[in-house]
Amino acid sequence: MADLRNLDALMREVRPYGATLVAVSKTMDDPEILEVYQHGHLDFGENYVGELTEKAERLPGDIRWHFIGHLQSNKSRRIVPLTHLIHGVDSLNTLKEINKQASDRPKGADLLIQVHIAREQSKYGVPLDKVSDFLEEVFSMPFPNLHIRGLMGMATFTEDQQCIRTEFRQLRNLFDEYRCSMDPSRKEKFNILSMGMSSDYRIALDEGSTMIRIGSLIFGQRQ
Ligand SMILES: *Cc1c(COP(=O)(O)O)cnc(C)c1O
């Protein structure tokens, strides 16, 4: 069972920040997702291509699916037509592929560039010191079907709140700096900063997140 009291509490917490709450439903079954949906929530996050594809087929068509996993270019064909926002893109090849797959979709594809802010080696993303060059390159490419909407990052898995805060702050600063250098028409659409999960969303909101991705606080611990 989903914890709707927690969901309500989260919504109240998020509202003053004007941030979006994505309910991360990975590994959850349809009834739990429907509970949250029937409670009025439309944004759901999944991180496996197969799982998202199957759920999108079965569940209501007005759900806004967020792909929050790492997207490999060869998997984007299935994901692009189904998603509202793709969070984890970190390579030009994947961007090229998404652009291609989005060509027959009137609204194109909205996506975020994933930035590596954590100390762990295992997490994906463009290294912090390479992001400016990467974005420069991305925006100079002819990608008529892509809307680069902002940045996404995951902090180190640690109890050390100060460390988490520092990492989120680095991402926020990068986001702001980059926005300052953009022309106004582009800046307007580059307005999403996806950071914060169940364990660190308060720090993320405090550091300027506009989109938090919450799983276990809503759906309980995953097996
Ligand atoms: C699983 C996952 C989340 C949600 O994690 P919780 O700790 O359960 O809130 C958020 N973001 C990404 C990228 C994830 O894979």
Side-chain angles (χ1 to χ4, degrees), residues 22 24 26 46-47 68-70 87 114 152-154 157 194 196-200 212-218 220-222:
V22 177
V24 176
K26 61 188 183 196
E46 290 284 338
N47 68 340
I68 61 171
H70 181 255
H87 289 232
Q114 184 168 357
M152 178 269 208
M154 290 165 85
F157 187 71
S194 167
M197 325 189 350
S198 291
S199 57
D200 57 18
I212 58 173
R213 311 175 308 268
I214 306 288
S216 41
L217 269 182
I218 299 171
Q221 289 300 329
R222 288 176 295 275

Side-chain angles (χ1 to χ4, degrees), residues 28-40:
M28 297 302 150
D29 295 327
D30 296 0
E32 286 150 306
I33 299 174
L34 284 169
E35 254 186 301
V36 172
Y37 170 80
Q38 277 148 9
H39 201 63

Side-chain angles (χ1 to χ4, degrees), residues 3-14:
D3 192 330
L4 299 178
R5 294 230 321 262
N6 265 357
L7 176 63
D8 285 337
L10 277 163
M11 292 306 291
R12 275 196 299 277
E13 245 185 298
V14 164

Side-chain angles (χ1 to χ4, degrees), residues 5-213:
R5 294 230 321 262
N6 265 357
L7 176 63
D8 285 337
L10 277 163
M11 292 306 291
R12 275 196 299 277
E13 245 185 298
V14 164
R15 196 165 303 127
Y17 294 94
T20 301
L21 171 72
V22 177
V24 176
S25 50
K26 61 188 183 196
T27 77
M28 297 302 150
D29 295 327
D30 296 0
E32 286 150 306
I33 299 174
L34 284 169
E35 254 186 301
V36 172
Y37 170 80
Q38 277 148 9
H39 201 63
H41 197 80
L42 292 179
D43 289 277
F44 290 88
E46 290 284 338
N47 68 340
Y48 291 107
V49 172
E51 203 178 333
L52 190 153
T53 311
E54 288 169 20
K55 286 178 177 172
E57 263 171 31
R58 293 195 303 257
L59 291 163
D62 59 344
I63 287 183
R64 295 189 287 257
W65 293 105
H66 294 248
F67 187 73
I68 61 171
H70 181 255
L71 188 60
Q72 290 159 316
S73 54
N74 58 347
K75 298 272 181 70
S76 63
R77 188 174 56 81
R78 295 166 67 196
I79 282 298
V80 168
L82 301 173
T83 45
H84 176 69
L85 181 66
I86 300 172
H87 289 232
V89 185
D90 61 5
S91 83
L92 268 184
N93 270 343
T94 306
L95 288 167
K96 281 181 195 153
E97 194 56 35
I98 298 173
N99 183 59
K100 201 164 90 190
Q101 302 303 339
S103 63
D104 53 4
R105 198 182 189 219
K107 72 188 214 79
D110 282 48
L111 56 92
L112 307 176
I113 303 299
Q114 184 168 357
V115 181
H116 182 121
I117 52 172
R119 280 173 298 160
E120 291 124 352
Q121 295 288 316
S122 62
K123 286 180 182 161
Y124 295 105
V126 181
L128 263 175
D129 59 340
K130 303 254 160 60
V131 175
S132 289
D133 287 348
F134 184 74
L135 287 173
E136 211 68 54
E137 195 175 1
V138 168
F139 281 117
S140 71
M141 306 275 294
F143 288 143
N145 312 313
L146 298 187
H147 309 293
I148 317 278
R149 299 297 311 276
L151 304 177
M152 178 269 208
M154 290 165 85
T156 302
F157 187 71
T158 172
E159 297 282 303
D160 186 336
Q161 311 275 301
Q162 195 53 48
C163 166
I164 295 170
R165 186 175 292 280
T166 302
E167 289 169 2
F168 283 152
R169 189 168 292 177
Q170 282 175 321
L171 187 58
R172 163 68 192 273
N173 284 340
L174 194 74
F175 177 72
D176 284 347
E177 278 166 33
Y178 199 75
R179 290 192 86 229
C180 285
S181 71
M182 297 176 109
D183 61 64
S185 63
R186 196 161 254 176
K187 189 189 320 204
E188 213 178 306
K189 292 213 83 184
F190 192 87
N191 59 359
I192 301 176
L193 184 57
S194 167
M195 57 184 199
M197 325 189 350
S198 291
S199 57
D200 57 18
Y201 73 92
R202 287 204 174 104
I203 306 174
L205 287 171
D206 204 36
E207 293 299 329
S209 171
T210 73
M211 191 172 271
I212 58 173
R213 311 175 308 268

